[in-house]
């Protein structure tokens, strides 16, 4: 049987191979790169019978990978009521009134993406409006950061939450002046509501996952690091991978926060064709927008409040070391500076006690750090899994929460890299848009799409164009133990690459705002091709 070889030629090919950074073409055979170089060189290696694809003025780069994301969450946000960019409570209610059938899980109405910081007054909403419009069904609306929920009275009733319900450890039940629950639940307080909700059907789960994978391919992602995958989603992806129909590469982190962790711990790491699971994800604290991020000192805009630790330090350390002992890379969500201090302590101490320094343990977000913790994280060579668009989303209100002094160690990508950390860039979708080009732009500019603020927000923490591209290619490859196979375009490596309408290295950063993905190729197969 003849093995087909395909030659792709483009205006330029950025290989990220230090020995040959720029090329004109590449050849693919049996899911690997056969040759990378000038068009004549590649044609000679491919042979006279090779199929040729002309990408015209496109720029080809190594496969782009989101190093921190949530596939099921993205699929859920694509198929339930979308509340991103809603300008007020009334607009949320209007969107809920038009909810498609896919927005219901059982009889629960679901939505995602509200953000009170952009509403008049900037205050958390209450249940009264939901109760008036939806007295007949429980409503669960997840905040944009997934660390708070807005629910109605029926949802509270089914969850058994009343005025006498105390705050759970690592959570807050917001209450009004009369002591009644307002309908806003922060971090671990959400657990009682989600436990009362029926699980999605298998068909519903698969529909969500397929929608998410298709969206990822369209925006130029060849791979995703899924930060905390539930067991049902993993089993669905595992079945597709075993039958050869999983289109993208998924590096799954086991969900280590709940009871499912026991099954993952018993199973141990797992490796398939496009799917692997050799990491576990824990959450140390909440998010900044809902004031759940754990800080050493009070929030600047809420004296007496320092955020939440979602696991006790002792429990976090015990879980981390148990998974390290089973050969798992440990990845821990840390937003606030107190959480980051704790997580660096836990990872360094745990790696030493278990002898697992080679497992490349990760700090997910590494968002607000004291200078000494930046240096400790970097000196240990830990992975800093950061999200550039978090900075450009938060920059309009982060000073209100933190004050100017703490911001010096916030979203500090340059400082982390200079300290020795391995940067792996992502989006944290669906909290942010999965558009990887927006991430490349934010990493380079620290500006919004309109170029604000002039010169960039704390511009000393910007990354160069090449560093930004490496953050979505080389960085995730290192963070998932695949640097010998992916992250660069070299003969023998996996044929994962993306064709873009703009040059992300030598082109102007502003061009990335309107840039398009022209093709996404995984293991030599086109999983997306833009229409002409």
């Amino acid at each position: 049987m003849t093995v087909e070889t395909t030659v792709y030629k483009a205006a330029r090919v950025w290989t990220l191979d230090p020995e040959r950074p720029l090329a004109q073409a590449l050849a693919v055979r049996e899911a690997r790169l056969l040759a990378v170089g000038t068009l004549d060189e590649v044609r000679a290696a491919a042979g006279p019978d090779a199929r040729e694809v002309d990408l015209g003025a496109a720029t080809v780069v190594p496969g782009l990978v989101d190093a921190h994301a949530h596939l099921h969450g993205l699929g859920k946000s694509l198929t339930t009521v979308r509340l991103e960019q809603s300008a007020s409570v009334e607009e949320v209610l209007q969107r809920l009134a038009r909810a498609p059938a896919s927005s219901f899980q059982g009889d629960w109405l679901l939505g995602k993406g509200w953000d009170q910081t952009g509403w008049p007054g900037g205050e958390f909403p209450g249940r009264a409006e939901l109760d008036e419009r939806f007295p007949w069904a429980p409503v669960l609306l997840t905040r944009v950061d997934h660390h708070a929920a807005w629910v109605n009275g029926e949802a509270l009733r089914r969850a058994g939450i009343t005025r006498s319900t105390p705050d759970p450890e690592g959570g807050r039940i917001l209450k009004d002046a009369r002591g009644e629950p307002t309908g806003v639940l922060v971090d671990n307080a959400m657990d009682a509501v989600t436990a009362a909700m029926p699980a999605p059907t298998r068909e519903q789960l698969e529909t969500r996952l397929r929608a998410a994978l298709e969206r990822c391919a369209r925006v130029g992602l060849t791979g995703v690091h899924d930060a905390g995958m539930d067991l049902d989603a993993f089993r669905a992806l595992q079945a597709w991978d075993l039958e050869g129909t999983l289109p993208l590469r998924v590096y799954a982190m086991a969900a280590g926060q709940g009871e499912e962790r026991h099954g993952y711990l018993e199973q141990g790491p797992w490796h398939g064709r496009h799917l692997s699971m050799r990491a576990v994800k824990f959450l140390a604290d909440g998010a900044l927008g809902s004031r759940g991020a754990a800080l050493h000192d009070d929030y600047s805009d809420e004296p007496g409040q320092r955020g939440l630790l979602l696991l006790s330090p002792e429990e976090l350390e015990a879980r981390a070391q148990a998974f390290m002992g089973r050969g798992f890379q440990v990845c821990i969500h840390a937003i606030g500076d107190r959480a980051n201090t704790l997580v660096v302590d836990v990872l360094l101490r745990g790696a030493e006690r278990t002898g697992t320094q080679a497992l490349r343990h990760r700090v997910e977000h590494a968002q607000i750090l004291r200078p000494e913790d930046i240096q400790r994280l970097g000196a240990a060579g830990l992975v800093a899994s950061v999200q550039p668009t978090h900075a450009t989303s938060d920059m309009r209100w982060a000073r209100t929460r933190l004050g100017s002094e703490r911001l010096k160690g916030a979203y500090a990508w340059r400082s982390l890299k200079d300290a020795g950390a391995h940067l792996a860039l992502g989006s944290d979708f669906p909290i942010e848009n999965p558009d990887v080009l927006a991430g490349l732009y934010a990493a380079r500019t620290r500006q919004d799409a309109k170029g604000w603020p002039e010169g960039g927000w704390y511009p000393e923490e910007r990354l160069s164009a090449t560093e930004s591209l490496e953050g979505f290619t080389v960085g995730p490859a290192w963070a998932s133990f695949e640097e010998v196979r992916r992250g660069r375009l070299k003969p023998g490596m996996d044929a994962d690459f993306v064709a873009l309408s703009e040059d992300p290295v030598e082109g102007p950063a502003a061009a990335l705002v309107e840039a398009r993905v022209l093709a996404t190729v995984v293991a030599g197969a086109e999983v997306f091709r833009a229409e002409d």
Side-chain angles (χ1 to χ4, degrees):
M1 182 179 71
T2 303
V3 177
E4 184 178 69
T5 302
T6 302
V7 171
Y8 287 86
K9 61 179 180 178
R12 64 199 63 78
V13 178
W14 288 110
T15 69
L16 297 182
D17 176 5
E19 297 180 1
R20 193 168 195 176
L22 194 59
Q24 296 175 317
L26 49 84
V28 177
R29 181 183 292 169
E30 294 187 317
R32 298 288 183 91
L33 293 171
L34 174 68
V36 181
T38 67
L39 184 56
D40 288 343
E41 291 170 338
V42 170
R43 281 173 170 164
D49 298 327
R51 182 174 72 101
E52 195 161 296
V53 177
D54 187 354
L55 295 172
T59 296
V60 170
V61 298
L64 299 168
V65 176
D66 193 310
H68 184 110
H70 306 275
L71 284 169
H72 187 200
L74 175 60
K76 195 172 178 180
S77 74
L78 293 172
T79 55
T80 58
V81 183
R82 305 196 63 174
L83 304 176
E84 295 90 345
Q85 307 304 316
S86 54
S88 64
V89 169
E90 183 56 36
E91 184 175 344
V92 168
L93 297 173
Q94 292 172 4
R95 295 189 192 187
L96 291 174
R98 301 190 298 270
S102 61
S103 298
F104 287 87
Q105 193 163 303
D107 63 342
W108 288 63
L109 175 58
L110 306 183
K112 177 264 169 191
W114 61 273
D115 181 1
Q116 84 286 355
T117 64
W119 297 348
E123 299 298 325
F124 276 124
R127 60 188 263 200
E129 296 92 339
L130 294 179
D131 288 345
E132 181 180 353
R133 300 288 184 96
F134 304 98
W136 46 270
V139 180
L140 171 60
L141 309 177
T142 308
R143 191 180 183 277
V144 65
D145 58 13
H146 285 210
H147 286 271
W150 175 20
V151 302
N152 67 347
E154 179 61 13
L156 291 172
R157 186 188 69 78
R158 296 196 189 188
I161 296 175
T162 68
R163 63 179 295 135
S164 61
T165 304
D167 287 342
E169 184 175 353
R172 295 175 68 197
I173 301 170
L174 271 60
K175 296 180 179 178
D176 62 23
R178 295 174 296 126
E180 293 292 336
T182 67
V184 173
L185 310 171
V186 180
D187 287 313
N188 289 351
M190 297 186 291
D191 292 349
V193 173
T194 55
M197 186 170 62
T201 65
R202 177 75 177 196
E203 180 182 8
Q204 197 169 36
L205 174 63
E206 291 187 352
T207 296
R208 292 172 179 175
L209 290 172
R210 291 190 191 281
L213 290 165
E214 180 182 355
R215 178 67 181 275
C216 288
R218 292 183 67 86
V219 300
L221 290 170
T222 62
V224 171
H225 294 189
D226 193 287
M229 183 172 286
D230 66 80
L231 194 55
D232 287 342
F234 177 69
R235 295 300 185 212
L237 295 182
Q238 190 178 43
W240 294 344
D241 192 47
L242 290 170
E243 65 186 28
T245 59
L246 183 61
L248 306 185
R249 302 190 192 275
V250 179
Y251 183 73
M253 306 175 201
Q257 210 73 3
E259 292 304 306
E260 287 185 342
R261 73 184 187 279
H262 299 296
Y264 285 125
L265 196 56
E266 182 178 351
Q267 170 190 277
W270 187 88
H271 302 273
R273 177 174 174 263
H274 280 179
L275 174 69
S276 65
M277 178 176 283
R278 61 174 299 176
V280 63
K281 157 81 176 304
F282 301 110
L283 292 93
D285 67 341
L288 191 63
S290 50
R291 297 188 187 87
L295 303 178
H296 283 290
D297 299 308
D298 292 358
Y299 276 82
S300 297
D301 59 350
E302 189 174 348
Q305 178 57 242
R306 295 188 177 186
L308 301 165
L309 290 179
L310 305 190
L311 293 171
S312 70
E314 296 77 17
E315 180 65 18
L316 178 62
E317 186 155 12
R319 293 189 189 190
Q321 291 187 26
F323 274 89
M324 288 177 182
R326 283 287 279 146
F328 281 85
Q329 176 191 50
V330 171
C331 315
I332 309 180
H333 161 121
I335 300 288
D337 53 11
R338 178 163 58 114
N340 274 285
T341 298
L342 170 63
V343 167
V344 173
D345 286 343
V346 165
L347 292 180
L348 296 190
R349 190 159 51 236
E352 182 177 1
R353 289 178 179 175
T354 58
T356 60
Q357 290 88 343
L359 288 182
R360 304 177 185 179
H361 302 304
R362 300 168 47 150
V363 183
E364 301 299 317
H365 306 303
Q367 195 161 297
I368 306 154
L369 294 95
R370 289 180 165 182
E372 57 267 33
D373 289 327
I374 291 176
Q375 295 304 315
R376 289 201 303 144
L377 192 159
L382 296 174
V383 175
S385 174
V386 300
Q387 299 75 45
T389 49
H390 275 344
T392 52
S393 291
D394 297 355
M395 62 187 178
R396 295 181 184 275
W397 51 264
R399 184 184 298 274
T400 302
R401 293 280 193 276
L402 298 172
S404 58
E405 189 61 30
R406 281 183 291 203
L407 278 180
K408 295 177 182 178
Y411 316 89
W413 318 319
R414 165 59 54 199
S415 295
L416 285 163
K417 184 174 180 62
D418 289 348
H422 293 276
L423 290 188
L425 306 187
S427 69
D428 201 9
F429 71 65
I431 293 172
E432 301 286 353
N433 192 304
D435 182 3
V436 68
L437 297 178
L440 288 167
Y441 170 79
R444 287 175 61 178
T445 66
R446 295 176 72 94
Q447 295 174 313
D448 66 17
K450 296 180 180 179
W452 185 89
E454 185 177 354
W457 188 59
Y458 291 84
E460 64 274 12
E461 294 295 345
R462 289 180 301 199
L463 300 176
S464 71
T466 299
E467 289 169 338
S468 301
L469 182 58
E470 289 175 341
F472 285 102
T473 53
V474 177
W478 168 266
S480 59
F481 307 90
E482 296 289 359
E483 70 274 12
V484 300
R485 297 185 59 182
R486 296 178 209 128
R488 308 181 194 275
L489 297 176
K490 297 174 62 175
M493 299 185 80
D494 289 338
D496 294 6
F497 55 92
V498 180
L500 306 173
S501 65
E502 302 290 341
D503 184 340
V505 177
E506 291 188 342
L512 293 170
V513 173
E514 300 295 334
R516 295 190 306 126
V517 174
L518 304 177
T520 306
V521 178
V522 180
E526 290 187 9
V527 296
F528 171 73
R529 187 72 179 270
E531 297 179 1
D532 294 334

